[in-house]
Amino acid sequence: MMATVVASAPGKVHLIGEHSVVYGEPAIIAAISLRCTVSATRSESMRIWGRELHQTLEATPREWATSLEQACAIHRSCMQSKNFRPLFDLMKKKPMNLPLVASALVLEKLSVRTGANIKIRSDIPIGSGLGSSAALAVSMAKALSTAYCYELSSDEINRIAFEIEQFNHGTPSGGDNSTCCLGGLIWFEKRPPVNIIRQVEGAIPGNLSNFLLVQTRKREKKTGQLLQIVRDLPEDFRVVRVKILGRVTGEMFGALGRKDAATIKRLMNEAQQVLAELRVSTVEIDQLTEAIRRIGGGAKLSGAGGGGFVICFHEDRKRLEETIRGMGYSPCEVQLGVKGVRLEASA
Ligand code: MEV
């Protein structure tokens, strides 16, 4: 009997710097205590078979299967298309199966010509800005490579996960997969060929405990489409705002280190204002962030926007929770800065 390898990776939340990070500005991103777990077993057949269960979305698991060759062909053709719009249109008509493509890519990278049986279980809401796809990509790379007896370094796992993310989002920065892979609190700058990735929890004392996450409406657009909205804005309009977000992120690093609550809140609100100008906020997010601003707090969308999660901060946690509930939402309890990808068990 083939051994089953189980690996898990955390989701992530952007404290600040989403979207501008795609244009080379820094972002500060924390790994969160919601995880995606992948179990992988080698198989001698040329098929990949999988079963997927997302806690927050579906009661019944989804199942999928394909030949390895077919899955590799889908992946190759998608990576070749430099214009991602047709890919998103295709996905709308016939949703591409991300886990399938992710597993095919890992096997292709390892030059493995046989298949695998995969099981996925995730607590991370899909398409909500919490890195569900990045956590899947990272845990898939770790579980499958280990099942095939490869001992890949974190860097190698992260590189494969980034390719999977490119398939899914077109032109991601790499910040999401790096955070899900390494865990903790990450300062990320996209600087190909070698990005700047620093684990900075040591520089930021305390446990970031007064941040709360709130889930607004599920977003309708994929991350890649939201990136495209920003890319389609007039260049000078976009460049000015991207620079502001970069400056605000730099200042946020200092404010977090000093535990300077007033500055943290001001910077979050400034970032939200600029993200709204970049057209990635929604009416619900505007209303919620405005309500939190009115009680003297800080709040902004987190991740690609267009719906999904808002991150909120106030020294008076009780007042923050009351305001969130008063707006008809429930605050979501997650721990920030948790461990990155890890092996859970091998059976
Ligand atoms: C998405 O979670 C974060 C974005 O900045 C995209 C990226 O960094 O790849 C919007």
Side-chain angles (χ1 to χ4, degrees), residues 283-301:
V283 175
E284 290 88 348
I285 293 176
D286 291 344
Q287 287 167 346
L288 176 62
T289 52
E290 167 64 25
I292 289 165
R293 256 200 315 276
R294 274 202 305 267
I295 60 153
K300 57 177 277 296
L301 65 84

Side-chain angles (χ1 to χ4, degrees), residues 11-16 18 30-34 124-125 128-131 208-216 268 288 292 298-303 308-314 317 320-321 324-325 329-337:
K12 62 82 203 173
V13 66
H14 273 74
L15 296 190
I16 205 147
E18 52 277 270
I32 57 171
S33 56
L34 300 175
I124 310 166
S128 303
L130 296 189
L208 302 168
S209 59
N210 283 341
F211 285 96
L212 284 178
L213 303 187
V214 181
Q215 186 167 25
T216 66
M268 288 175 83
L288 176 62
I292 289 165
K300 57 177 277 296
L301 65 84
S302 182
F309 276 82
V310 165
I311 181 163
C312 315
F313 178 82
H314 203 300
R317 190 184 162 109
L320 181 59
E321 283 185 11
I324 292 167
R325 287 191 207 285
Y329 298 105
S330 310
C332 174
E333 283 290 338
V334 295
Q335 212 187 315
L336 304 190

Side-chain angles (χ1 to χ4, degrees), residues 12 14 17-22 27 29 129-131 162 165 169 171-177 188 190 219 223 226-227 275 280 301-305:
K12 62 82 203 173
H14 273 74
E18 52 277 270
H19 283 288
S20 45
V21 68
V22 173
I29 319 169
L130 296 189
F162 181 57
E165 282 283 271
H169 303 315
T171 54
S173 62
D176 292 13
N177 49 280
F188 180 88
K190 177 181 171 184
R219 68 179 196 217
T223 297
L226 289 150
L227 294 183
L275 288 163
V280 292
L301 65 84
S302 182

Side-chain angles (χ1 to χ4, degrees), residues 54-338:
H54 292 270
Q55 301 282 64
T56 45
L57 269 194
E58 302 154 25
T60 2
R62 264 194 321 156
E63 294 197 0
W64 34 269
T66 193
S67 79
L68 187 58
E69 235 160 60
Q70 194 189 2
C72 289
I74 297 172
H75 169 255
R76 268 193 299 272
S77 77
C78 291
M79 290 300 278
Q80 273 157 16
S81 70
K82 292 291 176 230
N83 175 3
F84 292 94
R85 275 210 197 83
L87 175 65
F88 302 138
D89 291 344
L90 186 71
M91 282 173 154
K92 254 188 268 161
K93 279 186 222 130
K94 182 174 178 283
M96 288 278 182
N97 190 317
L98 177 63
L100 187 61
V101 174
S103 45
L105 184 137
V106 177
L107 294 174
E108 198 175 38
K109 287 274 146 200
L110 301 176
S111 303
V112 166
R113 293 283 164 258
T114 49
N117 294 331
I118 307 285
K119 281 190 197 150
I120 300 163
R121 194 180 176 87
S122 180
D123 334 305
I124 310 166
I126 293 179
S128 303
L130 296 189
S132 60
S133 67
L136 170 68
V138 168
S139 47
M140 180 72 81
K142 181 75 177 175
L144 253 183
S145 58
T146 311
Y148 270 97
C149 300
Y150 285 82
E151 282 183 31
L152 300 189
S153 66
S154 309
D155 260 13
E156 288 166 317
I157 297 283
N158 200 18
R159 261 200 299 274
I160 296 177
F162 181 57
E163 279 201 43
I164 299 170
E165 282 283 271
Q166 282 179 304
F167 166 81
N168 202 28
H169 303 315
T171 54
S173 62
D176 292 13
N177 49 280
S178 301
T179 308
C180 299
C181 188
L182 300 173
L185 189 63
I186 298 287
W187 171 275
F188 180 88
E189 285 176 65
K190 177 181 171 184
R191 292 287 159 84
V194 185
N195 297 325
I196 299 175
I197 310 175
R198 279 195 238 129
Q199 281 179 299
V200 293
E201 53 272 24
I204 294 176
N207 56 7
L208 302 168
S209 59
N210 283 341
F211 285 96
L212 284 178
L213 303 187
V214 181
Q215 186 167 25
T216 66
R217 172 166 55 88
K218 184 172 160 32
R219 68 179 196 217
E220 281 149 22
K221 292 189 169 61
K222 286 182 62 69
T223 297
Q225 291 171 297
L226 289 150
L227 294 183
Q228 192 67 45
I229 289 175
V230 176
R231 202 177 298 125
D232 286 344
L233 290 169
E235 193 178 346
D236 41 358
F237 179 92
R238 188 188 65 231
V239 167
V240 171
R241 282 156 184 84
V242 161
K243 284 269 166 258
I244 295 174
L245 288 171
R247 190 250 309 148
V248 162
T249 303
E251 286 180 31
M252 178 64 98
F253 184 72
L256 286 166
R258 296 190 307 274
K259 285 181 165 271
D260 174 352
T263 308
I264 293 173
K265 293 186 290 187
R266 176 179 58 76
L267 295 171
M268 288 175 83
N269 293 333
E270 195 177 340
Q272 169 59 25
Q273 167 72 35
V274 175
L275 288 163
E277 289 167 8
L278 291 176
R279 315 272 190 275
V280 292
S281 190
T282 62
V283 175
E284 290 88 348
I285 293 176
D286 291 344
Q287 287 167 346
L288 176 62
T289 52
E290 167 64 25
I292 289 165
R293 256 200 315 276
R294 274 202 305 267
I295 60 153
K300 57 177 277 296
L301 65 84
S302 182
F309 276 82
V310 165
I311 181 163
C312 315
F313 178 82
H314 203 300
E315 311 91 304
D316 185 343
R317 190 184 162 109
K318 192 158 167 277
R319 187 140 183 244
L320 181 59
E321 283 185 11
E322 278 164 12
T323 307
I324 292 167
R325 287 191 207 285
M327 293 296 292
Y329 298 105
S330 310
C332 174
E333 283 290 338
V334 295
Q335 212 187 315
L336 304 190
V338 304

